[in-house]
Amino acid sequence: MSKIDNVIRPTPFQARVLAVPEDVFLFLGGGRGGGKSFALMLLILRHVQQYGPRARVLVTRRRLKSLLQFAEELRGLLRSAFGPGVAYNMNDNVFRLPNGAAIFMTHCESISALQDTVQGHTYSLVVVDESGEGPPLEVIDQLGLSLRAPGVPLRMILAGNPGGTNHSALAERYVTARDPWAIFEFAGQSWAYAPSTVDSNPHLPEAYQRNFEVLRTTDPALYKAHRHGDWSAITGDFFAGSWRADEMVIDHHDLPPHLFTKLSLAIDWGSAAPCVALLMGTLAYDVRLPDDRVMPKGSVVVYDEHAEFDPRNIARGTGRSPSQIAPALHAMCARSGVRARGVIDAAAEAKTAGRHEDSISDLFRAAGVRVSPARKGPRVPRFEALKQMMIAREFYVASRCLGWLRTVPSLPRDPRNPEDVDTKAVDHWLDATSYGLVGSASGFVVMGSFDGPPPQLPDTGNRIIYV
């Protein structure tokens, strides 16, 4: 560090980050302005200085524009440390340092982009900044497979703020039930959750901190998330102003099953993605809760849930078949004294043309779970209807439905269609809810054998035939 002209003094937060053992993976998660990105740069600088030609660092952000901004700031830091011998290839976004170390910069939005980035490459340190915005968590997981440089402590470091597409998955993995700075085990690796807030960064002007005060009144939940780094407070843009956990979360013990007109299943099928089954019902009476809240007759309640997802990644399914999942659905319904029957995603009725095989729905029926296709239709009207029910306080969720509470309230809008939820987010609990609201499709679904021409419809004399 003898070539540094100006002394670099880390903030207390950044110094604590640097003190974490190098064999511990890090998640720098907290509010905005906490100094996370510069902490990443300091970690990169130390790594390339210590390990010289053995250091091969990969730095990624989802979008190219924000990556180039990071690269420009990193270039200034590296030249302060190593002098004018730092070479930066702007076409390939690669830093090559005088001591032989290399830093590769890439934006990585998809699996295909990932393959171009890491296929056949070896790294000693992988850094993912702004991980809340992307890339998808399965892409981040695959980046870790390139950590195999010999003779160097291998490490992955993520940084991100509450909110964004990956909010639920990151919170589930690294924040919920984790003590800050305490080392925990996840997927065979040692991790530490390192939070920060704007108070952790004394270099920011007071005007920046005052900017948060606007959110205190306009969006208190977003204020808690961005100002204090509270991952449990964030409410996604989509349900902002509609969802109120303090008013709409209930204890199922206060609502015995006999208070519902009926309780039935709503299933969003997934194999590679999560499979979510909700037990939903409509109240047959006005109900006054012990805390004096009144739930009006006709209110819809998400009463119970069963979800199949990878415990290491809430956005990934388990690959289990309907026959393997069915016993859990029977058990869930039995707890409330009802039979396992309800609606399922209409796509689960599909069969492969020319092949005599059962659909997903058929497999559930064979396992005793009686399902019919949901009246699906466009997503936007279904989600808007749910919003209106929330605003009217005619929609409630039982506190035991942890998957629903961890995902649906924090869902962001689709950046290309603000009236829809971001389809890259974990929206499976929301989809299942919407199927339960719209109910089953009318009529019957008849699947042809595809062996010959389709059967002719009867000539009723009417200009319109209802099928």
Side-chain angles (χ1 to χ4, degrees), residues 144-155:
L145 300 178
S146 62
L147 285 170
R148 49 180 181 264
V152 182
L154 305 179
R155 194 181 207 187

Side-chain angles (χ1 to χ4, degrees), residues 61-370:
R61 281 182 170 180
R62 182 179 179 183
R63 292 181 175 85
L64 177 61
K65 186 175 181 179
S66 63
L67 178 74
L68 294 178
Q69 179 183 354
F70 186 95
E72 187 64 27
E73 296 174 5
L74 180 61
R75 178 164 58 176
L77 180 64
L78 293 174
R79 287 186 173 175
S80 297
F82 293 97
V86 175
Y88 177 48
N89 187 321
M90 296 187 66
N91 292 325
D92 296 331
N93 284 324
V94 178
F95 288 97
R96 298 199 181 275
L97 308 183
N99 66 354
I103 304 172
F104 301 84
M105 315 285 292
T106 184
H107 66 292
C108 193
E109 295 196 31
S110 64
I111 295 293
S112 59
L114 164 71
Q115 292 172 345
D116 295 337
T117 300
V118 302
Q119 190 72 32
H121 292 265
T122 296
Y123 301 105
S124 56
L125 174 64
V126 172
V127 175
V128 182
D129 196 15
E130 298 182 348
S131 57
E133 301 298 329
L137 210 56
E138 57 268 23
V139 175
I140 295 175
D141 289 339
Q142 293 191 44
L143 290 175
L145 300 178
S146 62
L147 285 170
R148 49 180 181 264
V152 182
L154 305 179
R155 194 181 207 187
M156 173 175 276
I157 305 172
L158 312 182
N161 303 314
T165 302
N166 288 336
H167 173 93
S168 299
L170 290 173
E172 178 75 16
R173 278 192 182 189
Y174 307 119
V175 180
T176 304
R178 309 294 190 190
D179 293 326
W181 303 102
I183 296 175
F184 60 90
E185 295 296 318
F186 177 77
Q189 299 287 354
S190 297
W191 282 82
Y193 164 48
S196 65
T197 67
V198 67
D199 298 321
S200 308
N201 192 350
H203 303 300
L204 292 177
E206 291 186 8
Y208 181 87
Q209 299 191 29
R210 288 197 298 269
N211 291 337
F212 288 99
E213 296 306 311
V214 177
L215 289 175
R216 187 194 290 270
T217 55
T218 59
D219 194 333
L222 200 60
Y223 172 80
K224 291 180 182 178
H226 288 176
R227 177 65 177 79
H228 300 294
D230 187 348
W231 286 76
S232 64
I234 189 70
T235 299
D237 289 339
F238 193 77
F239 288 107
S242 305
W243 170 257
R244 289 287 302 272
D246 57 336
E247 297 182 16
M248 301 164 68
V249 177
I250 54 95
D251 187 338
H252 68 278
H253 295 100
D254 298 331
L255 290 178
H258 70 266
L259 296 180
F260 295 91
T261 56
K262 70 172 183 177
L263 286 166
S264 58
L265 292 171
I267 302 174
D268 181 49
W269 166 251
S271 179
C275 176
V276 176
L278 304 178
L279 188 63
M280 299 175 60
T282 303
L283 287 178
Y285 314 95
D286 292 334
V287 177
R288 183 179 293 276
L289 299 176
D291 58 7
D292 283 338
R293 282 182 292 167
V294 175
M295 302 172 63
K297 177 182 177 180
S299 295
V300 174
V301 180
V302 179
Y303 196 62
D304 206 348
E305 73 171 23
H306 175 77
E308 297 274 335
F309 61 89
D310 186 339
R312 298 171 298 179
N313 184 355
I314 197 173
R316 185 182 300 160
T318 61
R320 283 166 35 105
S321 67
S323 61
Q324 294 172 307
I325 298 172
L329 303 189
H330 285 293
M332 177 178 67
C333 292
R335 287 197 296 268
S336 298
V338 297
R339 294 182 179 180
R341 57 183 62 183
V343 296
I344 192 170
D345 180 0
E349 295 282 350
K351 297 183 181 181
T352 304
R355 297 176 60 180
H356 299 284
E357 60 182 18
D358 291 334
S359 66
I360 296 299
S361 296
D362 292 333
L363 295 176
F364 271 116
R365 295 180 193 115
V369 180
R370 296 181 57 184

